[in-house]
Amino acid sequence: MHQHSHDDSSKRMGLAFWLNLIFTVIEFVGGWLTNSTAIMADAVHDLGDSLSIGSAWLLNRLGRKSANPEYTYGYRRLSLFGALINGLVLIAGSVWVLVTAIPRLADPVMPHTEGMLALAVLGVTVNGYAAYRLSQGKTLNEKVLNWHLLEDVLGWVAVLIVATVMQIIDWPILDPLLSIGFTLFILINVLRNLWVTGRLFFQAVPDPDLLTCVRESLMSLKEIDDVHHLHLWSLDGEHHVLTAHVRVEPLKDITEYSRLKATINSALASQDLAHTTIEIELNEEPCRDE
């Protein structure tokens, strides 16, 4: 099931990369033909998106490599690293758009609106389809990349609206106004996702409710007197790692020990955990980590 999920994730990112890259080339040509600085700026921004999506796609594929003696947890953390990088790239791109658009408020330029309309329809279609495909993904990487594409979709919607209005009224200032508006909207959401990604990257608890549930599940067992050194972190936002020390009364024999392990396994079976390490301590022995 997990392998199938990762294959789907890789296919979605691969499709988004090629669609974005091909359309970026079209944008550069279209921006030159329409003499539109807004479209040329969007083309540069999309080029950055293409590079980000391509790097995320590569990191996602590398992240599926098996564990080895050097990387004992495997390479899944590369996917989280890719999400962090892409969030930073998108913030930089958004700032660049704002720096470009704000001066145009004082000196707006009227582009060729007919060409803008045609490119806007194509842009909404291509980026909208790619964003729709990535929205089906569950990984943090796909969520961050989806904001890349959603920013492009909103950008082309803004171009479509501006071009339509400017067909009727000579208001070129609408172009930078709408660009600033949708960029600020995307920036807020990206910062939210980047905060989540950054916390996971620095090994914060991925889900406080899960941590509470794990503690309560262990403490509910009559065999366990105490739970300490309980640590929960995530490899990539999907695969969580748990370590814990549990304190129990002295065990009579290996059969009782095996029964306790089976009981703990059953208690944690319903939790979403990829790796678990449980150390069993007898009440009269000291904890070696204290």
Side-chain angles (χ1 to χ4, degrees):
M1 180 63 71
H2 281 298
Q3 180 63 39
H4 180 68
S5 175
H6 284 293
D7 287 342
D8 288 343
S9 174
S10 181
K11 289 177 182 178
R12 284 190 292 264
M13 282 193 283
L15 176 64
F17 167 71
W18 288 113
L19 284 175
N20 214 67
L21 182 62
I22 293 171
F23 185 67
T24 297
V25 176
I26 296 174
E27 277 186 280
F28 276 113
V29 176
W32 176 69
L33 291 176
T34 60
N35 195 30
S36 170
T37 54
I39 291 178
M40 290 297 284
D42 207 305
V44 174
H45 184 75
D46 276 358
L47 179 61
D49 284 353
S50 297
L51 296 176
S52 296
I53 295 171
S55 64
W57 182 27
L58 176 63
L59 288 170
N60 183 73
R61 294 177 68 87
L62 289 174
R64 293 158 51 195
K65 293 175 63 177
S66 300
N68 57 49
E70 185 174 6
Y71 295 94
T72 56
Y73 275 112
Y75 295 80
R76 295 190 187 279
R77 209 151 175 79
L78 284 173
S79 178
L80 190 62
F81 182 60
L84 186 64
I85 290 177
N86 287 315
L88 294 174
V89 169
L90 188 51
I91 288 176
S94 297
V95 171
W96 184 84
V97 170
L98 291 175
V99 170
T100 303
I102 290 175
R104 291 187 61 193
L105 294 173
D107 186 22
V109 178
M110 178 67 77
H112 297 158
T113 55
E114 293 82 0
M116 289 179 65
L117 281 172
L119 283 171
V121 171
L122 184 60
V124 170
T125 302
V126 173
N127 288 286
Y129 177 70
Y132 167 73
R133 291 299 302 271
L134 279 185
S135 69
Q136 299 173 347
K138 303 299 182 183
T139 66
L140 279 174
N141 222 342
E142 288 175 291
K143 290 178 181 178
V144 172
L145 293 178
N146 190 48
W147 280 110
H148 278 268
L149 295 171
L150 182 58
E151 181 182 23
D152 294 336
V153 172
L154 293 178
W156 283 112
V157 168
V159 172
L160 182 62
I161 294 173
V162 166
T164 302
V165 172
M166 288 191 300
Q167 287 274 338
I168 305 171
I169 307 173
D170 187 11
W171 282 353
I173 198 172
L174 290 179
D175 187 9
L177 281 175
L178 284 175
S179 298
I180 292 170
F182 83 77
T183 300
L184 289 175
F185 170 74
I186 292 296
L187 194 57
I188 291 172
N189 286 282
V190 170
L191 286 172
R192 186 182 298 117
N193 276 318
L194 188 63
W195 172 254
V196 174
T197 302
R199 290 182 71 255
L200 292 178
F201 192 76
F202 289 102
Q203 296 185 327
V205 173
D207 184 353
D209 291 336
L210 176 60
L211 182 65
T212 300
C213 188
V214 167
R215 182 183 296 277
E216 291 177 350
S217 295
L218 292 174
M219 288 301 298
S220 68
L221 303 179
K222 59 180 176 49
E223 296 89 348
I224 295 179
D225 296 331
D226 179 56
V227 177
H228 56 280
H229 283 298
L230 179 62
H231 304 290
L232 178 67
W233 57 283
S234 185
L235 293 174
D236 58 0
E238 292 182 286
H239 301 83
H240 305 327
V241 179
L242 172 75
T243 63
H245 292 199
V246 297
R247 190 172 294 280
V248 300
E249 291 294 332
L251 303 172
K252 297 177 180 178
D253 50 34
I254 191 63
T255 300
E256 195 170 89
Y257 177 77
S258 298
R259 187 181 301 116
L260 174 60
K261 288 182 60 179
T263 301
I264 293 174
N265 289 340
S266 296
L268 298 179
S270 62
Q271 312 303 331
D272 187 17
L273 301 170
H275 298 276
T276 57
T277 303
I278 307 295
E279 178 160 350
I280 298 175
E281 298 174 349
L282 303 182
N283 280 337
E284 68 270 14
E285 68 176 336
C287 175
R288 63 177 179 175
D289 291 334
E290 290 182 350

